Amino acid sequence: MKRKQKEKAVAAEACQLRSTQSYPFGALKRFVPLGTGEEMVYRTLREAIPVLDAAVGKLVRLTGGFSVQCRNQEAQKRLEQFLRTVPCGRGQEGIENFLSGYLDSLLTYGRAVGEMVVSGGHLRAVCWGDVTALQVQEGNNLLDTVLCGMDEQGKMRPLPYPHLLLFTVLNPEPAHPYGVSLFRGMPFLADVLMKIYDTVGSNWERAGNVRYSVICKDGENLDAAQIQQRGSQMAQEWSKAMEDCKNGTVRDFVAVGDVEIKVIGSEAPMPDSQVPVRQILEQLIAKTGMPPFLLGMSWNSTERMSAQQVDILTAELWALRRAVEPVLRRICKMYLALEGLDDRVELKWEDISLQDITREAQAELYKAQADKLRYETVSN
């Protein structure tokens, strides 16, 4: 009984003092989608795989860029000034910075939240918030969404001013009010990729930092004391030679007898990880919708394939613009209404300049010529 208690105590101490994770991104292991429990996994994905973080950053930068068009000239001037100088928190100004943070959250978590700060009857600031600190619930009306936050007693309660909150979901599902993250479906492949990278690092740590095996073969006629003495002398001389090499000096190792020196592990070749890593990265990058060449991947791709990939990316960017456009329109209408101006406003998005401008102009010319020939044919 005492021995069992002692073993139990030792096991408890080992569990409390030692981590069981084999590599630093253990959150990717044994992942199962559970709704609101996915945020930490998605943050870990961006930290662990730089190409995914770069893809999100490029999608955010390529999506932004719009102008406003009002019915009233005074409203147009004042709204443009407001959008250029509105505080967004974290020391940033301008609606473009708000849109960047909002889109970043939307792509990472599948939903984004913001707030319009009203003081003294005027719209003073527009800030984006941490959507992971909130709970999303369906309201009494099927078209309403209730955002709940933590109160002073630590309970989740509906936020008091819902009309000032901004909320957007990406690819919503009918089962729950949460959106779908861009990283949905990636954790399993990311876990395999991290295992490969972790194994490559361990192999290079062993094989890259060379270890030697020094064997003396002519010790058959020596007794145990002589063998131990000779082994100690060789180990001491070998250590001196290696230490001098580290200090930048060359020193020969001199030994008497038949001595064999080998590199430990030199017979086992390093496993080739290029093929499995590329297969996994192809699926991860395909999920983001970014062409591989925009992320620095020099994979085989023809000019026609690159043009088609750019067209697909353009469609993805317009889908993101349609998702955030209602939020931007609400901000503009709120400012104009509080200022007593005409709140009729339209958003004009900038062109996505991923295609060659010369080719676009040539395509428009060919289209115009075709329309002209079709019109002349019908007229005759």
PDB file of all heavy atoms in Angstrom, residues 67-70 72-86 95 123 328-329 331-336 339 341-347:
ATOM      1  N   SER A  67     -14.885  54.736 -52.359  1.00  0.00           N
ATOM      2  CA  SER A  67     -15.256  56.137 -52.230  1.00  0.00           C
ATOM      3  C   SER A  67     -16.769  56.216 -52.036  1.00  0.00           C
ATOM      4  O   SER A  67     -17.493  55.233 -52.250  1.00  0.00           O
ATOM      5  CB  SER A  67     -14.837  56.943 -53.471  1.00  0.00           C
ATOM      6  OG  SER A  67     -15.457  56.421 -54.635  1.00  0.00           O
ATOM      7  N   VAL A  68     -17.255  57.382 -51.620  1.00  0.00           N
ATOM      8  CA  VAL A  68     -18.677  57.571 -51.350  1.00  0.00           C
ATOM      9  C   VAL A  68     -19.233  58.622 -52.306  1.00  0.00           C
ATOM     10  O   VAL A  68     -18.521  59.510 -52.775  1.00  0.00           O
ATOM     11  CB  VAL A  68     -18.912  57.996 -49.891  1.00  0.00           C
ATOM     12  CG1 VAL A  68     -18.568  56.850 -48.953  1.00  0.00           C
ATOM     13  CG2 VAL A  68     -18.109  59.244 -49.540  1.00  0.00           C
ATOM     14  N   GLN A  69     -20.510  58.493 -52.573  1.00  0.00           N
ATOM     15  CA  GLN A  69     -21.191  59.434 -53.462  1.00  0.00           C
ATOM     16  C   GLN A  69     -22.522  59.819 -52.827  1.00  0.00           C
ATOM     17  O   GLN A  69     -23.403  58.969 -52.633  1.00  0.00           O
ATOM     18  CB  GLN A  69     -21.423  58.803 -54.838  1.00  0.00           C
ATOM     19  CG  GLN A  69     -22.032  59.763 -55.845  1.00  0.00           C
ATOM     20  CD  GLN A  69     -22.133  59.148 -57.224  1.00  0.00           C
ATOM     21  OE1 GLN A  69     -21.702  58.028 -57.432  1.00  0.00           O
ATOM     22  NE2 GLN A  69     -22.703  59.885 -58.159  1.00  0.00           N
ATOM     23  N   CYS A  70     -22.654  61.088 -52.469  1.00  0.00           N
ATOM     24  CA  CYS A  70     -23.856  61.599 -51.809  1.00  0.00           C
ATOM     25  C   CYS A  70     -24.676  62.446 -52.775  1.00  0.00           C
ATOM     26  O   CYS A  70     -24.166  62.938 -53.788  1.00  0.00           O
ATOM     27  CB  CYS A  70     -23.485  62.426 -50.573  1.00  0.00           C
ATOM     28  SG  CYS A  70     -22.538  61.518 -49.314  1.00  0.00           S
ATOM     29  N   ASN A  72     -26.060  65.320 -51.834  1.00  0.00           N
ATOM     30  CA  ASN A  72     -25.818  66.710 -51.477  1.00  0.00           C
ATOM     31  C   ASN A  72     -24.323  66.988 -51.483  1.00  0.00           C
ATOM     32  O   ASN A  72     -23.530  66.176 -50.996  1.00  0.00           O
ATOM     33  CB  ASN A  72     -26.419  67.012 -50.102  1.00  0.00           C
ATOM     34  CG  ASN A  72     -26.278  68.468 -49.715  1.00  0.00           C
ATOM     35  OD1 ASN A  72     -25.257  68.869 -49.167  1.00  0.00           O
ATOM     36  ND2 ASN A  72     -27.314  69.265 -49.991  1.00  0.00           N
ATOM     37  N   GLN A  73     -23.923  68.125 -52.014  1.00  0.00           N
ATOM     38  CA  GLN A  73     -22.506  68.458 -52.117  1.00  0.00           C
ATOM     39  C   GLN A  73     -21.897  68.666 -50.737  1.00  0.00           C
ATOM     40  O   GLN A  73     -20.757  68.251 -50.473  1.00  0.00           O
ATOM     41  CB  GLN A  73     -22.323  69.715 -52.981  1.00  0.00           C
ATOM     42  CG  GLN A  73     -20.880  70.048 -53.306  1.00  0.00           C
ATOM     43  CD  GLN A  73     -20.250  69.013 -54.217  1.00  0.00           C
ATOM     44  OE1 GLN A  73     -20.951  68.319 -54.949  1.00  0.00           O
ATOM     45  NE2 GLN A  73     -18.929  68.908 -54.167  1.00  0.00           N
ATOM     46  N   GLU A  74     -22.616  69.344 -49.840  1.00  0.00           N
ATOM     47  CA  GLU A  74     -22.101  69.568 -48.495  1.00  0.00           C
ATOM     48  C   GLU A  74     -21.942  68.244 -47.754  1.00  0.00           C
ATOM     49  O   GLU A  74     -20.947  68.018 -47.047  1.00  0.00           O
ATOM     50  CB  GLU A  74     -23.054  70.484 -47.728  1.00  0.00           C
ATOM     51  CG  GLU A  74     -22.647  70.759 -46.292  1.00  0.00           C
ATOM     52  CD  GLU A  74     -21.365  71.562 -46.179  1.00  0.00           C
ATOM     53  OE1 GLU A  74     -20.966  72.191 -47.194  1.00  0.00           O
ATOM     54  OE2 GLU A  74     -20.763  71.560 -45.093  1.00  0.00           O
ATOM     55  N   ALA A  75     -22.924  67.351 -47.909  1.00  0.00           N
ATOM     56  CA  ALA A  75     -22.820  66.040 -47.286  1.00  0.00           C
ATOM     57  C   ALA A  75     -21.640  65.249 -47.854  1.00  0.00           C
ATOM     58  O   ALA A  75     -20.929  64.552 -47.128  1.00  0.00           O
ATOM     59  CB  ALA A  75     -24.127  65.264 -47.486  1.00  0.00           C
ATOM     60  N   GLN A  76     -21.403  65.383 -49.141  1.00  0.00           N
ATOM     61  CA  GLN A  76     -20.291  64.696 -49.776  1.00  0.00           C
ATOM     62  C   GLN A  76     -18.964  65.153 -49.188  1.00  0.00           C
ATOM     63  O   GLN A  76     -18.103  64.336 -48.825  1.00  0.00           O
ATOM     64  CB  GLN A  76     -20.317  64.971 -51.284  1.00  0.00           C
ATOM     65  CG  GLN A  76     -19.137  64.405 -52.073  1.00  0.00           C
ATOM     66  CD  GLN A  76     -19.348  62.962 -52.419  1.00  0.00           C
ATOM     67  OE1 GLN A  76     -20.475  62.482 -52.457  1.00  0.00           O
ATOM     68  NE2 GLN A  76     -18.259  62.257 -52.677  1.00  0.00           N
ATOM     69  N   LYS A  77     -18.793  66.442 -49.042  1.00  0.00           N
ATOM     70  CA  LYS A  77     -17.534  66.992 -48.544  1.00  0.00           C
ATOM     71  C   LYS A  77     -17.295  66.595 -47.095  1.00  0.00           C
ATOM     72  O   LYS A  77     -16.194  66.152 -46.725  1.00  0.00           O
ATOM     73  CB  LYS A  77     -17.549  68.509 -48.695  1.00  0.00           C
ATOM     74  CG  LYS A  77     -16.292  69.200 -48.222  1.00  0.00           C
ATOM     75  CD  LYS A  77     -16.391  70.703 -48.433  1.00  0.00           C
ATOM     76  CE  LYS A  77     -15.139  71.409 -47.926  1.00  0.00           C
ATOM     77  NZ  LYS A  77     -15.232  72.874 -48.118  1.00  0.00           N
ATOM     78  N   ARG A  78     -18.304  66.742 -46.261  1.00  0.00           N
ATOM     79  CA  ARG A  78     -18.126  66.447 -44.841  1.00  0.00           C
ATOM     80  C   ARG A  78     -17.967  64.951 -44.588  1.00  0.00           C
ATOM     81  O   ARG A  78     -17.209  64.533 -43.703  1.00  0.00           O
ATOM     82  CB  ARG A  78     -19.318  67.014 -44.061  1.00  0.00           C
ATOM     83  CG  ARG A  78     -19.366  68.538 -44.094  1.00  0.00           C
ATOM     84  CD  ARG A  78     -20.595  69.079 -43.413  1.00  0.00           C
ATOM     85  NE  ARG A  78     -20.649  68.726 -41.989  1.00  0.00           N
ATOM     86  CZ  ARG A  78     -21.600  69.134 -41.173  1.00  0.00           C
ATOM     87  NH1 ARG A  78     -22.590  69.909 -41.628  1.00  0.00           N
ATOM     88  NH2 ARG A  78     -21.580  68.788 -39.904  1.00  0.00           N
ATOM     89  N   LEU A  79     -18.643  64.114 -45.346  1.00  0.00           N
ATOM     90  CA  LEU A  79     -18.505  62.665 -45.165  1.00  0.00           C
ATOM     91  C   LEU A  79     -17.121  62.191 -45.584  1.00  0.00           C
ATOM     92  O   LEU A  79     -16.514  61.338 -44.908  1.00  0.00           O
ATOM     93  CB  LEU A  79     -19.580  61.933 -45.968  1.00  0.00           C
ATOM     94  CG  LEU A  79     -19.557  60.405 -45.872  1.00  0.00           C
ATOM     95  CD1 LEU A  79     -19.708  59.942 -44.436  1.00  0.00           C
ATOM     96  CD2 LEU A  79     -20.650  59.796 -46.751  1.00  0.00           C
ATOM     97  N   GLU A  80     -16.599  62.725 -46.660  1.00  0.00           N
ATOM     98  CA  GLU A  80     -15.248  62.338 -47.079  1.00  0.00           C
ATOM     99  C   GLU A  80     -14.218  62.741 -46.034  1.00  0.00           C
ATOM    100  O   GLU A  80     -13.276  61.990 -45.751  1.00  0.00           O
ATOM    101  CB  GLU A  80     -14.927  62.986 -48.432  1.00  0.00           C
ATOM    102  CG  GLU A  80     -15.711  62.401 -49.587  1.00  0.00           C
ATOM    103  CD  GLU A  80     -15.400  63.091 -50.895  1.00  0.00           C
ATOM    104  OE1 GLU A  80     -14.706  64.156 -50.853  1.00  0.00           O
ATOM    105  OE2 GLU A  80     -15.823  62.612 -51.966  1.00  0.00           O
ATOM    106  N   GLN A  81     -14.382  63.928 -45.455  1.00  0.00           N
ATOM    107  CA  GLN A  81     -13.473  64.366 -44.396  1.00  0.00           C
ATOM    108  C   GLN A  81     -13.585  63.459 -43.171  1.00  0.00           C
ATOM    109  O   GLN A  81     -12.588  63.100 -42.539  1.00  0.00           O
ATOM    110  CB  GLN A  81     -13.782  65.816 -44.022  1.00  0.00           C
ATOM    111  CG  GLN A  81     -12.956  66.381 -42.877  1.00  0.00           C
ATOM    112  CD  GLN A  81     -11.482  66.529 -43.247  1.00  0.00           C
ATOM    113  OE1 GLN A  81     -11.122  66.519 -44.425  1.00  0.00           O
ATOM    114  NE2 GLN A  81     -10.622  66.644 -42.234  1.00  0.00           N
ATOM    115  N   PHE A  82     -14.796  63.069 -42.828  1.00  0.00           N
ATOM    116  CA  PHE A  82     -14.992  62.179 -41.687  1.00  0.00           C
ATOM    117  C   PHE A  82     -14.343  60.815 -41.925  1.00  0.00           C
ATOM    118  O   PHE A  82     -13.676  60.268 -41.030  1.00  0.00           O
ATOM    119  CB  PHE A  82     -16.488  62.012 -41.425  1.00  0.00           C
ATOM    120  CG  PHE A  82     -16.812  60.913 -40.447  1.00  0.00           C
ATOM    121  CD1 PHE A  82     -16.658  61.108 -39.088  1.00  0.00           C
ATOM    122  CD2 PHE A  82     -17.270  59.686 -40.902  1.00  0.00           C
ATOM    123  CE1 PHE A  82     -16.947  60.091 -38.189  1.00  0.00           C
ATOM    124  CE2 PHE A  82     -17.564  58.664 -40.008  1.00  0.00           C
ATOM    125  CZ  PHE A  82     -17.404  58.876 -38.651  1.00  0.00           C
ATOM    126  N   LEU A  83     -14.511  60.264 -43.104  1.00  0.00           N
ATOM    127  CA  LEU A  83     -13.958  58.938 -43.393  1.00  0.00           C
ATOM    128  C   LEU A  83     -12.427  58.960 -43.406  1.00  0.00           C
ATOM    129  O   LEU A  83     -11.790  57.944 -43.110  1.00  0.00           O
ATOM    130  CB  LEU A  83     -14.484  58.427 -44.737  1.00  0.00           C
ATOM    131  CG  LEU A  83     -15.993  58.144 -44.801  1.00  0.00           C
ATOM    132  CD1 LEU A  83     -16.389  57.703 -46.194  1.00  0.00           C
ATOM    133  CD2 LEU A  83     -16.392  57.105 -43.771  1.00  0.00           C
ATOM    134  N   ARG A  84     -11.835  60.090 -43.729  1.00  0.00           N
ATOM    135  CA  ARG A  84     -10.370  60.190 -43.727  1.00  0.00           C
ATOM    136  C   ARG A  84      -9.797  60.330 -42.331  1.00  0.00           C
ATOM    137  O   ARG A  84      -8.667  59.895 -42.076  1.00  0.00           O
ATOM    138  CB  ARG A  84      -9.909  61.367 -44.589  1.00  0.00           C
ATOM    139  CG  ARG A  84      -9.988  61.135 -46.072  1.00  0.00           C
ATOM    140  CD  ARG A  84      -9.201  62.187 -46.822  1.00  0.00           C
ATOM    141  NE  ARG A  84      -9.671  63.550 -46.512  1.00  0.00           N
ATOM    142  CZ  ARG A  84     -10.583  64.195 -47.223  1.00  0.00           C
ATOM    143  NH1 ARG A  84     -11.140  63.619 -48.281  1.00  0.00           N
ATOM    144  NH2 ARG A  84     -10.957  65.414 -46.896  1.00  0.00           N
ATOM    145  N   THR A  85     -10.541  60.929 -41.402  1.00  0.00           N
ATOM    146  CA  THR A  85      -9.977  61.291 -40.096  1.00  0.00           C
ATOM    147  C   THR A  85     -10.652  60.617 -38.916  1.00  0.00           C
ATOM    148  O   THR A  85     -10.289  60.901 -37.770  1.00  0.00           O
ATOM    149  CB  THR A  85     -10.058  62.810 -39.901  1.00  0.00           C
ATOM    150  OG1 THR A  85     -11.434  63.221 -39.952  1.00  0.00           O
ATOM    151  CG2 THR A  85      -9.278  63.533 -40.987  1.00  0.00           C
ATOM    152  N   VAL A  86     -11.606  59.726 -39.131  1.00  0.00           N
ATOM    153  CA  VAL A  86     -12.323  59.125 -38.009  1.00  0.00           C
ATOM    154  C   VAL A  86     -11.376  58.250 -37.179  1.00  0.00           C
ATOM    155  O   VAL A  86     -10.650  57.429 -37.721  1.00  0.00           O
ATOM    156  CB  VAL A  86     -13.521  58.301 -38.519  1.00  0.00           C
ATOM    157  CG1 VAL A  86     -13.084  57.233 -39.516  1.00  0.00           C
ATOM    158  CG2 VAL A  86     -14.266  57.676 -37.354  1.00  0.00           C
ATOM    159  N   ILE A  95     -11.242  55.307 -42.151  1.00  0.00           N
ATOM    160  CA  ILE A  95     -12.115  54.146 -42.292  1.00  0.00           C
ATOM    161  C   ILE A  95     -11.390  52.974 -42.925  1.00  0.00           C
ATOM    162  O   ILE A  95     -11.777  51.803 -42.739  1.00  0.00           O
ATOM    163  CB  ILE A  95     -13.363  54.539 -43.129  1.00  0.00           C
ATOM    164  CG1 ILE A  95     -14.489  53.523 -42.929  1.00  0.00           C
ATOM    165  CG2 ILE A  95     -12.988  54.691 -44.588  1.00  0.00           C
ATOM    166  CD1 ILE A  95     -15.039  53.470 -41.545  1.00  0.00           C
ATOM    167  N   LEU A 123     -21.147  61.324 -34.254  1.00  0.00           N
ATOM    168  CA  LEU A 123     -20.382  60.087 -34.379  1.00  0.00           C
ATOM    169  C   LEU A 123     -18.903  60.434 -34.246  1.00  0.00           C
ATOM    170  O   LEU A 123     -18.325  61.079 -35.124  1.00  0.00           O
ATOM    171  CB  LEU A 123     -20.675  59.420 -35.727  1.00  0.00           C
ATOM    172  CG  LEU A 123     -20.003  58.066 -35.982  1.00  0.00           C
ATOM    173  CD1 LEU A 123     -20.369  57.056 -34.913  1.00  0.00           C
ATOM    174  CD2 LEU A 123     -20.372  57.529 -37.366  1.00  0.00           C
ATOM    175  N   LEU A 328     -20.300  49.344 -43.858  1.00  0.00           N
ATOM    176  CA  LEU A 328     -19.780  50.653 -44.252  1.00  0.00           C
ATOM    177  C   LEU A 328     -20.913  51.621 -44.573  1.00  0.00           C
ATOM    178  O   LEU A 328     -20.836  52.813 -44.254  1.00  0.00           O
ATOM    179  CB  LEU A 328     -18.851  50.492 -45.457  1.00  0.00           C
ATOM    180  CG  LEU A 328     -17.611  49.613 -45.239  1.00  0.00           C
ATOM    181  CD1 LEU A 328     -16.841  49.453 -46.542  1.00  0.00           C
ATOM    182  CD2 LEU A 328     -16.717  50.197 -44.167  1.00  0.00           C
ATOM    183  N   ARG A 329     -21.968  51.127 -45.194  1.00  0.00           N
ATOM    184  CA  ARG A 329     -23.107  52.003 -45.495  1.00  0.00           C
ATOM    185  C   ARG A 329     -23.799  52.464 -44.217  1.00  0.00           C
ATOM    186  O   ARG A 329     -24.236  53.620 -44.117  1.00  0.00           O
ATOM    187  CB  ARG A 329     -24.093  51.270 -46.405  1.00  0.00           C
ATOM    188  CG  ARG A 329     -25.209  52.173 -46.935  1.00  0.00           C
ATOM    189  CD  ARG A 329     -26.175  51.431 -47.830  1.00  0.00           C
ATOM    190  NE  ARG A 329     -25.528  51.025 -49.075  1.00  0.00           N
ATOM    191  CZ  ARG A 329     -25.232  49.763 -49.367  1.00  0.00           C
ATOM    192  NH1 ARG A 329     -25.516  48.786 -48.522  1.00  0.00           N
ATOM    193  NH2 ARG A 329     -24.666  49.468 -50.513  1.00  0.00           N
ATOM    194  N   ILE A 331     -22.350  52.985 -41.342  1.00  0.00           N
ATOM    195  CA  ILE A 331     -21.506  54.018 -40.740  1.00  0.00           C
ATOM    196  C   ILE A 331     -21.741  55.368 -41.422  1.00  0.00           C
ATOM    197  O   ILE A 331     -21.905  56.411 -40.760  1.00  0.00           O
ATOM    198  CB  ILE A 331     -20.024  53.601 -40.824  1.00  0.00           C
ATOM    199  CG1 ILE A 331     -19.770  52.342 -39.997  1.00  0.00           C
ATOM    200  CG2 ILE A 331     -19.120  54.731 -40.361  1.00  0.00           C
ATOM    201  CD1 ILE A 331     -18.374  51.772 -40.166  1.00  0.00           C
ATOM    202  N   CYS A 332     -21.788  55.360 -42.739  1.00  0.00           N
ATOM    203  CA  CYS A 332     -21.980  56.614 -43.473  1.00  0.00           C
ATOM    204  C   CYS A 332     -23.356  57.209 -43.198  1.00  0.00           C
ATOM    205  O   CYS A 332     -23.493  58.429 -42.971  1.00  0.00           O
ATOM    206  CB  CYS A 332     -21.799  56.366 -44.970  1.00  0.00           C
ATOM    207  SG  CYS A 332     -20.130  55.848 -45.448  1.00  0.00           S
ATOM    208  N   LYS A 333     -24.376  56.373 -43.200  1.00  0.00           N
ATOM    209  CA  LYS A 333     -25.728  56.873 -42.958  1.00  0.00           C
ATOM    210  C   LYS A 333     -25.884  57.384 -41.532  1.00  0.00           C
ATOM    211  O   LYS A 333     -26.587  58.373 -41.295  1.00  0.00           O
ATOM    212  CB  LYS A 333     -26.742  55.763 -43.261  1.00  0.00           C
ATOM    213  CG  LYS A 333     -26.808  55.375 -44.731  1.00  0.00           C
ATOM    214  CD  LYS A 333     -27.729  54.200 -44.948  1.00  0.00           C
ATOM    215  CE  LYS A 333     -29.174  54.595 -44.823  1.00  0.00           C
ATOM    216  NZ  LYS A 333     -29.592  55.483 -45.913  1.00  0.00           N
ATOM    217  N   MET A 334     -25.233  56.720 -40.558  1.00  0.00           N
ATOM    218  CA  MET A 334     -25.303  57.182 -39.177  1.00  0.00           C
ATOM    219  C   MET A 334     -24.661  58.554 -39.022  1.00  0.00           C
ATOM    220  O   MET A 334     -25.209  59.446 -38.364  1.00  0.00           O
ATOM    221  CB  MET A 334     -24.619  56.171 -38.256  1.00  0.00           C
ATOM    222  CG  MET A 334     -24.532  56.587 -36.791  1.00  0.00           C
ATOM    223  SD  MET A 334     -26.151  56.706 -35.999  1.00  0.00           S
ATOM    224  CE  MET A 334     -26.511  54.949 -35.777  1.00  0.00           C
ATOM    225  N   TYR A 335     -23.503  58.759 -39.643  1.00  0.00           N
ATOM    226  CA  TYR A 335     -22.836  60.063 -39.553  1.00  0.00           C
ATOM    227  C   TYR A 335     -23.697  61.155 -40.182  1.00  0.00           C
ATOM    228  O   TYR A 335     -23.896  62.230 -39.591  1.00  0.00           O
ATOM    229  CB  TYR A 335     -21.474  59.996 -40.232  1.00  0.00           C
ATOM    230  CG  TYR A 335     -20.813  61.347 -40.365  1.00  0.00           C
ATOM    231  CD1 TYR A 335     -20.184  61.939 -39.280  1.00  0.00           C
ATOM    232  CD2 TYR A 335     -20.850  62.041 -41.574  1.00  0.00           C
ATOM    233  CE1 TYR A 335     -19.587  63.187 -39.395  1.00  0.00           C
ATOM    234  CE2 TYR A 335     -20.263  63.287 -41.699  1.00  0.00           C
ATOM    235  CZ  TYR A 335     -19.632  63.858 -40.610  1.00  0.00           C
ATOM    236  OH  TYR A 335     -19.059  65.102 -40.714  1.00  0.00           O
ATOM    237  N   LEU A 336     -24.220  60.902 -41.379  1.00  0.00           N
ATOM    238  CA  LEU A 336     -25.014  61.918 -42.064  1.00  0.00           C
ATOM    239  C   LEU A 336     -26.294  62.230 -41.298  1.00  0.00           C
ATOM    240  O   LEU A 336     -26.719  63.394 -41.207  1.00  0.00           O
ATOM    241  CB  LEU A 336     -25.338  61.444 -43.477  1.00  0.00           C
ATOM    242  CG  LEU A 336     -24.140  61.302 -44.426  1.00  0.00           C
ATOM    243  CD1 LEU A 336     -24.570  60.685 -45.747  1.00  0.00           C
ATOM    244  CD2 LEU A 336     -23.452  62.637 -44.660  1.00  0.00           C
ATOM    245  N   GLU A 339     -25.567  64.382 -38.277  1.00  0.00           N
ATOM    246  CA  GLU A 339     -25.172  65.730 -38.672  1.00  0.00           C
ATOM    247  C   GLU A 339     -26.321  66.496 -39.309  1.00  0.00           C
ATOM    248  O   GLU A 339     -26.152  67.663 -39.687  1.00  0.00           O
ATOM    249  CB  GLU A 339     -23.993  65.678 -39.640  1.00  0.00           C
ATOM    250  CG  GLU A 339     -22.722  65.087 -39.049  1.00  0.00           C
ATOM    251  CD  GLU A 339     -22.160  65.926 -37.923  1.00  0.00           C
ATOM    252  OE1 GLU A 339     -22.294  67.179 -37.999  1.00  0.00           O
ATOM    253  OE2 GLU A 339     -21.603  65.357 -36.965  1.00  0.00           O
ATOM    254  N   LEU A 341     -27.842  65.830 -42.201  1.00  0.00           N
ATOM    255  CA  LEU A 341     -27.648  65.914 -43.644  1.00  0.00           C
ATOM    256  C   LEU A 341     -28.427  64.799 -44.346  1.00  0.00           C
ATOM    257  O   LEU A 341     -28.923  63.863 -43.709  1.00  0.00           O
ATOM    258  CB  LEU A 341     -26.155  65.809 -43.989  1.00  0.00           C
ATOM    259  CG  LEU A 341     -25.244  66.871 -43.371  1.00  0.00           C
ATOM    260  CD1 LEU A 341     -23.784  66.540 -43.621  1.00  0.00           C
ATOM    261  CD2 LEU A 341     -25.580  68.259 -43.925  1.00  0.00           C
ATOM    262  N   ASP A 342     -28.517  64.926 -45.648  1.00  0.00           N
ATOM    263  CA  ASP A 342     -29.185  63.904 -46.452  1.00  0.00           C
ATOM    264  C   ASP A 342     -28.382  62.600 -46.347  1.00  0.00           C
ATOM    265  O   ASP A 342     -27.202  62.557 -46.722  1.00  0.00           O
ATOM    266  CB  ASP A 342     -29.268  64.373 -47.904  1.00  0.00           C
ATOM    267  CG  ASP A 342     -30.117  63.441 -48.751  1.00  0.00           C
ATOM    268  OD1 ASP A 342     -30.541  62.381 -48.240  1.00  0.00           O
ATOM    269  OD2 ASP A 342     -30.341  63.755 -49.936  1.00  0.00           O
ATOM    270  N   ASP A 343     -29.006  61.529 -45.833  1.00  0.00           N
ATOM    271  CA  ASP A 343     -28.268  60.286 -45.576  1.00  0.00           C
ATOM    272  C   ASP A 343     -28.295  59.318 -46.750  1.00  0.00           C
ATOM    273  O   ASP A 343     -27.900  58.152 -46.605  1.00  0.00           O
ATOM    274  CB  ASP A 343     -28.826  59.590 -44.340  1.00  0.00           C
ATOM    275  CG  ASP A 343     -30.264  59.159 -44.516  1.00  0.00           C
ATOM    276  OD1 ASP A 343     -30.885  59.578 -45.516  1.00  0.00           O
ATOM    277  OD2 ASP A 343     -30.767  58.402 -43.661  1.00  0.00           O
ATOM    278  N   ARG A 344     -28.721  59.751 -47.912  1.00  0.00           N
ATOM    279  CA  ARG A 344     -28.679  58.894 -49.089  1.00  0.00           C
ATOM    280  C   ARG A 344     -27.249  58.867 -49.628  1.00  0.00           C
ATOM    281  O   ARG A 344     -26.720  59.884 -50.056  1.00  0.00           O
ATOM    282  CB  ARG A 344     -29.659  59.374 -50.146  1.00  0.00           C
ATOM    283  CG  ARG A 344     -31.123  59.194 -49.758  1.00  0.00           C
ATOM    284  CD  ARG A 344     -32.047  59.788 -50.798  1.00  0.00           C
ATOM    285  NE  ARG A 344     -31.926  61.246 -50.865  1.00  0.00           N
ATOM    286  CZ  ARG A 344     -32.610  62.017 -51.706  1.00  0.00           C
ATOM    287  NH1 ARG A 344     -33.477  61.447 -52.545  1.00  0.00           N
ATOM    288  NH2 ARG A 344     -32.447  63.319 -51.707  1.00  0.00           N
ATOM    289  N   VAL A 345     -26.623  57.709 -49.599  1.00  0.00           N
ATOM    290  CA  VAL A 345     -25.225  57.578 -49.968  1.00  0.00           C
ATOM    291  C   VAL A 345     -25.019  56.260 -50.696  1.00  0.00           C
ATOM    292  O   VAL A 345     -25.691  55.268 -50.415  1.00  0.00           O
ATOM    293  CB  VAL A 345     -24.314  57.660 -48.712  1.00  0.00           C
ATOM    294  CG1 VAL A 345     -24.638  56.549 -47.736  1.00  0.00           C
ATOM    295  CG2 VAL A 345     -22.837  57.628 -49.086  1.00  0.00           C
ATOM    296  N   GLU A 346     -24.086  56.255 -51.618  1.00  0.00           N
ATOM    297  CA  GLU A 346     -23.717  55.054 -52.365  1.00  0.00           C
ATOM    298  C   GLU A 346     -22.212  54.848 -52.255  1.00  0.00           C
ATOM    299  O   GLU A 346     -21.445  55.817 -52.209  1.00  0.00           O
ATOM    300  CB  GLU A 346     -24.119  55.176 -53.837  1.00  0.00           C
ATOM    301  CG  GLU A 346     -25.627  55.218 -54.075  1.00  0.00           C
ATOM    302  CD  GLU A 346     -26.303  53.917 -53.701  1.00  0.00           C
ATOM    303  OE1 GLU A 346     -25.623  52.870 -53.733  1.00  0.00           O
ATOM    304  OE2 GLU A 346     -27.502  53.948 -53.377  1.00  0.00           O
ATOM    305  N   LEU A 347     -21.800  53.586 -52.204  1.00  0.00           N
ATOM    306  CA  LEU A 347     -20.383  53.234 -52.124  1.00  0.00           C
ATOM    307  C   LEU A 347     -19.878  52.848 -53.507  1.00  0.00           C
ATOM    308  O   LEU A 347     -20.533  52.080 -54.233  1.00  0.00           O
ATOM    309  CB  LEU A 347     -20.157  52.075 -51.156  1.00  0.00           C
ATOM    310  CG  LEU A 347     -19.875  52.438 -49.696  1.00  0.00           C
ATOM    311  CD1 LEU A 347     -21.066  53.134 -49.072  1.00  0.00           C
ATOM    312  CD2 LEU A 347     -19.495  51.200 -48.897  1.00  0.00           C
TER     313      LEU A 347
END
